[in-house]
Amino acid sequence: MAGLEGFEFFEIVIEKSCSRQRLPDKFGKMLAGREPHKVKLQEAGSGCRRLWDVLVVFDGEGHMYLGPGWEQFARAHELQLGHFLVFRYNNDAMFTVKMFDNTMCRMYYQHDDDASNGSSSGDDEEQSGQEEEQSGDDEEQSGEEEE
């Protein structure tokens, strides 16, 4: 399966139920009898170390799907009908996934385990709150001056 490293494909979320996601038949054929029973998914470019274990299932027609475990990944990433996903097969049974919303804009996520990455989003919110308080004080002062 080393020949598949770096293989990319895209999928559009088309099923109302996020319990499974179909993989391209061409990808399944390229595996030629070496289909994994379980894969790991990782959000692309997140710096997030979290890996999602997902079982691979097949229907009666031989189509390959991401099955149990996919629903948890889809919920955690708020995937909806019409979202566009780009899968990159990194090595044996490992996918990196880029997600795009209905406007075709890349979706980025803030994860709890990103807090250790030096993220200052909490500081930004605190600073923003302080600025709002100051602008409220300014309005009060200007109101007092008018009287």
Side-chain angles (χ1 to χ4, degrees):
M1 281 194 268
L4 288 176
E5 187 166 339
F7 182 80
E8 290 185 327
F9 58 89
F10 76 89
E11 289 292 318
I12 299 173
V13 177
I14 58 171
E15 296 195 28
K16 290 183 181 183
S17 166
C18 283
S19 63
R20 66 184 191 167
Q21 177 65 42
R22 186 171 169 181
L23 299 175
D25 291 336
K26 181 177 180 178
F27 178 71
K29 288 177 185 174
M30 291 175 76
L31 292 171
R34 300 173 289 170
E35 298 89 350
H37 298 287
K38 184 165 85 172
V39 295
K40 293 191 180 294
L41 303 179
Q42 181 178 31
E43 178 188 327
S46 69
C48 180
R49 304 277 188 272
R50 173 132 193 216
L51 298 176
W52 300 80
D53 290 320
V54 178
L55 297 179
V56 176
V57 296
F58 296 86
D59 66 10
E61 298 174 15
H63 300 295
M64 188 175 178
Y65 293 86
L66 296 175
W70 170 253
E71 186 169 7
Q72 290 78 8
F73 180 86
R75 281 187 187 160
H77 294 90
E78 301 173 342
L79 297 181
Q80 299 175 11
L81 202 61
H83 283 183
F84 183 89
L85 312 174
V86 177
F87 290 84
R88 180 179 178 90
Y89 194 71
N90 295 330
N91 57 36
D92 289 342
M94 171 75 162
F95 287 103
T96 301
V97 186
K98 290 180 186 175
M99 291 151 279
F100 298 81
D101 64 18
N102 292 338
T103 66
M104 292 299 135
C105 291
R106 174 97 181 262
M107 298 169 64
Y108 293 93
Y109 302 90
Q110 180 67 33
H111 297 285
D112 291 340
D113 51 4
D114 284 345
S116 63
N117 292 354
S119 170
S120 62
S121 63
D123 295 340
D124 293 343
E125 289 173 16
E126 188 176 307
Q127 188 174 9
S128 170
Q130 289 172 351
E131 289 171 6
E132 287 175 18
E133 286 177 22
Q134 288 174 351
S135 69
D137 292 344
D138 293 344
E139 289 172 14
E140 288 176 17
Q141 287 175 358
S142 65
E144 291 172 5
E145 291 172 6
E146 289 178 15
E147 289 178 20

